Amino acid sequence: MANMFDYLTWRGDLSLSQSPFQDVDSLILSTMSYIFFDGVVAESMEERITIGEMADKFLSRPQAEWKLRLPEDEKLLRALRESDRFINMELCGYVNKLDFQTEKQFAALTILLGDGTVLVVYRGTDYSLVGWKENFNMCFMDDGPAQQDAADYLTRVAAAFPDVELRVSGHSKGGNLAVFAAAKCGQLLQKRIVEVYNQDGPGFSEEMIQDTGYLSILPKVRSFLPQSSVIGMLLEHEEAYTVIRSKSVGLLQHDLYTWNVMG
């Protein structure tokens, strides 16, 4: 079963001009967002670093400072560094917040893809207790602290890159944040959004899915769920979704490294 590493081997030498940005690219960059880029990628939108430079800088640190979520994250960094498709994409606007008082875990990254569009990526739940408590909070409330931060962040990116088309992506809670931010950003900004990629992210309350902003962004939302999705089927969904085969079972299918991306 071919996963994202096979895609990087077979398709990683094709530039975006040869093969336009597509679903698997968004999945790979959503996965990359789980890496802790503190001290490597700047919060400023003006100070940028390529994926190749970022990987060199990150991997040159002592391993004790890497803070990787999974062993595959190192493999992904090394593969992206060798990929002509990804190596020159530029990173900026890295935000990583952890707030125990408001029970908020929020992280986001801006990527200049090199095809004239900008991708906003929201990180899903990390391994912090706060992150998991926030997940439970999302089961009974919309408009939580991370969701508000996500909407504000998208507005900030749009202001930093005026007149540029935007893409928004995220896995798990990050997928929920991507859809929420795109739904709440206003009609003018929604017109600049090309697509919203939601990889196994939970849905919303009945009230949210009847919101005007949500309904207007819905045609641009691309949702992907593994065949036995649990997280992605929480709460309400109105958008169509694509079912992806995973090599794992049950909750382990939530891991993007297990998804079949070819065929």
Side-chain angles (χ1 to χ4, degrees):
M1 180 178 287
N3 63 16
M4 67 178 74
F5 293 112
D6 298 294
Y7 175 87
L8 284 165
T9 299
W10 297 336
R11 307 283 292 176
D13 61 335
L14 298 178
S15 67
L16 294 184
S17 61
Q18 294 171 303
S19 176
F21 190 87
Q22 53 106 344
D23 302 333
V24 184
D25 298 316
S26 71
L27 180 146
I28 288 170
L29 294 172
S30 290
T31 306
M32 186 189 75
S33 74
Y34 280 102
I35 296 170
F36 286 76
F37 295 120
D38 304 73
V40 178
V41 180
E43 184 173 349
S44 165
M45 294 292 177
E46 290 75 32
E47 186 179 344
R48 299 162 194 167
I49 185 172
T50 67
I51 285 181
E53 293 167 341
M54 173 275 295
D56 286 339
K57 187 174 180 179
F58 187 96
L59 294 170
S60 67
R61 290 175 154 189
Q63 287 194 17
E65 299 178 11
W66 284 4
K67 292 182 70 176
L68 296 177
R69 182 180 57 109
L70 296 169
E72 288 88 349
D73 291 343
E74 178 188 354
K75 182 179 177 181
L76 178 63
L77 270 183
R78 296 187 184 279
L80 291 172
R81 185 173 60 176
E82 301 301 320
S83 168
D84 292 339
R85 187 170 181 83
F86 292 93
I87 189 172
N88 291 316
M89 292 180 180
E90 295 182 311
L91 312 178
C92 61
Y94 174 65
V95 177
N96 183 26
K97 299 178 181 179
L98 198 64
D99 191 321
F100 291 89
Q101 188 170 9
T102 60
E103 297 182 351
K104 174 181 69 178
Q105 174 250 317
F106 174 77
L109 182 69
T110 298
I111 307 173
L112 285 70
L113 297 176
D115 64 350
T117 66
V118 168
L119 176 71
V120 174
V121 184
Y122 297 104
R123 181 188 293 164
T125 305
D126 60 18
Y127 44 69
S128 68
L129 177 61
V130 170
W132 282 102
K133 287 184 71 177
E134 184 180 48
N135 264 8
F136 295 127
N137 292 343
M138 289 172 67
C139 291
F140 59 83
M141 62 183 288
D142 289 325
D143 206 13
Q147 290 167 320
Q148 275 299 307
D149 276 5
D152 293 343
Y153 184 85
L154 182 58
T155 301
R156 177 187 163 209
V157 174
F161 301 97
D163 305 318
V164 174
E165 290 187 326
L166 304 170
R167 302 175 187 274
V168 193
S169 183
H171 166 250
S172 190
K173 182 184 74 175
N176 175 281
L177 297 182
V179 176
F180 182 90
K184 293 295 187 178
C185 67
Q187 291 184 349
L188 286 178
L189 183 46
Q190 281 188 344
K191 291 178 180 178
R192 293 172 52 192
I193 296 176
V194 180
E195 284 180 318
V196 181
Y197 308 93
N198 176 11
Q199 293 115 10
D200 206 23
F204 299 94
S205 67
E206 286 279 0
E207 181 181 358
M208 177 64 180
I209 65 172
Q210 295 172 14
D211 178 79
T212 303
Y214 177 86
L215 293 173
S216 62
I217 201 63
L218 209 53
K220 297 183 180 182
V221 175
R222 296 180 57 75
S223 289
F224 303 88
L225 306 172
Q227 75 263 26
S228 298
S229 172
V230 176
I231 305 298
M233 295 308 294
L234 293 173
L235 302 178
E236 301 295 328
H237 287 269
E238 283 296 304
E239 77 277 16
Y241 55 84
T242 301
V243 179
I244 306 297
R245 184 171 296 279
S246 166
K247 69 178 182 180
S248 290
V249 295
L251 276 172
L252 296 177
Q253 293 185 1
H254 191 55
D255 179 1
L256 293 178
Y257 287 117
T258 71
W259 287 19
N260 179 26
V261 302
M262 305 289 283

